[in-house]
Amino acid sequence: MKTRIKKITNVKLDNDAVREAGKILKEGGLVAFPTETVYGLGADALNARAAEKIYAAKGRPSDNPLIIHIAHMDALGRIVSDIPEQAHALAGAFWPGPITMIFNKAECVPYGTTGGLDTVAVRMPDHETARAVIDAGGGYIAAPSANTSGRPSPTMAEHVREDLEGKIDMIVDGGSVEIGVESTILDLTVTPPMILRPGAVTKEMLEGILGEVAEDKALLGADSKEAPKAPGMKYRHYAPKAKLSVVEGQTEQVIREINRLSREKEEEGSRVGIIGTEETVGRYDCGLVKCIGTRQDEATVASRLYAILREFDGEDVEYIFSESFSGDGIGSAVMNRLLKAAGHHVIHT
Ligand code: TXA
Ligand code: MG
């Protein structure tokens, strides 16, 4: 299959490309498009055959449900069986935006989209191009991250091309995404509502609206014996080719330990990558050092994380040592993804 790649920088000026994407989606095809979190791989969510194509293109396990993307609040009523009061409050506060809510599904949503579940995940993205493509495609677009299963999520069209060129009908290139980690997932079918995946909408922000909010215990770390409640979270996502270790402790000690470990590996003849920050990159004296962002603003770290992991894959490093981050605010999403990529391999200094 030939994959068409079209740039959309302004949905009004690039209306032909939006219409082309919409036509492909309505005919049951696959279109990757940017959102504010990561690029999504879209298909008509109400067409089971179209949704199935997503699994084939990504190599995704069929029990891993898809998120339905909508562009307007009135679309929600058609795909869920009831809208809890809390959902209105959350939508008012955070939609369009980086939060996915889980509801009981309406009959019209095929099990092919929900991985066989009676619940459905829904998100309204805050991205002009995403919303235009959703509208043009009929209003209900299933979209997982547009990567091959097991690779870091794509934050630029080039990443989508690396993974999916030849396997999907079209890639809409809208440049780099803003946030860089996937949406927060909140299950509204349980009491209290439960966070199944941390993202840019944090627990504190949700508590501000809902009061009590629970967190899936499986998010707590490698020691957890629980199976994650979001089926996709049990797979070892975001795994770089190199062995990634996260080094925790006070910054000075972390720098010293990463220098020591990197030198040791280089003396053994291995290629080493280091993930540092604006504040620290000048302090490393070996390895291939990359700057992920500034400690002053961990949103910058979130937006570079997946691109850095992909860059290291392309540079054939065998070991990567990364500094760790606060775990506050968006830092909790960063640490969740980084620790998963590391298979929870942490070195304490
Ligand atoms: O930011 C995002 O959410 C991006 C962009 C494209 O919108 N999408 C995304 O989709 O991250 P995906 O498929 O890569 O991740 C969806 C996650 C998976 O872990 C899946 O198991 C979970 O959502 N999920 C979907 N439906 C669910 C449901 N009914 N119950 C529990 N978990 C669900
Ligand atoms: Mg994904």
Side-chain angles (χ1 to χ4, degrees), residues 262-273 287 316-319:
S262 302
R263 233 174 283 126
E264 195 177 279
K265 291 296 177 199
E266 285 194 340
E267 277 161 16
E268 291 168 17
S270 299
R271 277 172 69 82
V272 177
D316 291 323
V317 303
E318 290 146 273
Y319 295 90

Side-chain angles (χ1 to χ4, degrees), residues 58 145 147 153 237:
K58 280 181 59 91
S145 48
N147 51 295
S153 292
H237 267 173

Side-chain angles (χ1 to χ4, degrees), residues 100-136:
T100 296
M101 295 184 232
I102 298 190
F103 301 88
N104 291 311
K105 81 174 191 72
E107 201 127 345
C108 68
V109 178
Y111 283 113
T113 296
T114 67
L117 299 176
D118 287 313
T119 53
V120 61
V122 186
R123 179 163 105 81
M124 189 192 292
D126 183 15
H127 192 290
E128 205 194 4
T129 301
R131 292 160 64 96
V133 169
I134 293 165
D135 271 338

Side-chain angles (χ1 to χ4, degrees), residues 179-181 199-202 297-300 302 326-335:
I179 296 176
V181 291
V201 175
T202 62
D297 178 8
E298 288 187 355
T300 60
S326 72
D328 299 331
I330 186 126
S332 91
V334 169
M335 284 309 290

Side-chain angles (χ1 to χ4, degrees), residues 38 58 60 64 144-147 149-151 153-154 182 197 232 237-238:
V38 299
K58 280 181 59 91
R60 180 179 176 103
N64 191 0
S145 48
N147 51 295
S149 249
R151 292 215 74 203
S153 292
E182 305 86 343
R197 178 174 76 181
H237 267 173
Y238 330 117

Side-chain angles (χ1 to χ4, degrees), residues 1-5 20-33 40-45 47-60 66 133 137 141-147 160 163-172:
M1 170 188 302
K2 172 135 178 59
T3 302
R4 277 165 274 177
I5 303 179
E20 185 179 346
K23 183 162 180 281
I24 293 169
L25 289 168
K26 281 187 171 159
E27 287 169 356
L30 300 184
V31 177
F33 60 90
L41 176 60
D44 179 353
N47 173 346
R49 284 246 189 89
E52 266 166 31
K53 289 185 189 167
I54 287 181
Y55 291 89
K58 280 181 59 91
R60 180 179 176 103
L66 306 173
V133 169
I141 302 300
S145 48
N147 51 295
V160 181
D163 285 10
L164 298 177
E165 185 161 38
K167 297 180 177 168
I168 64 178
D169 298 285
M170 183 176 182
I171 299 172
V172 173

Side-chain angles (χ1 to χ4, degrees), residues 153-199:
S153 292
T155 55
M156 340 182 210
E158 178 56 26
H159 297 160
V160 181
R161 204 184 58 71
E162 276 171 22
D163 285 10
L164 298 177
E165 185 161 38
K167 297 180 177 168
I168 64 178
D169 298 285
M170 183 176 182
I171 299 172
V172 173
D173 180 352
S176 288
V177 303
E178 191 191 320
I179 296 176
V181 291
E182 305 86 343
S183 61
T184 306
I185 300 180
L186 184 72
D187 188 351
L188 290 180
T189 68
V190 293
T191 311
M194 184 182 281
I195 297 172
L196 306 188
R197 178 174 76 181

Side-chain angles (χ1 to χ4, degrees), residues 247 250-260 279-280 283-284 323:
V247 183
Q250 283 180 331
T251 307
E252 284 305 311
Q253 284 167 334
V254 167
I255 294 168
R256 214 176 308 138
E257 182 65 2
I258 291 181
N259 270 325
R260 189 186 71 75
E279 290 78 9
T280 61
R283 308 276 309 281
Y284 294 108
E323 296 176 13

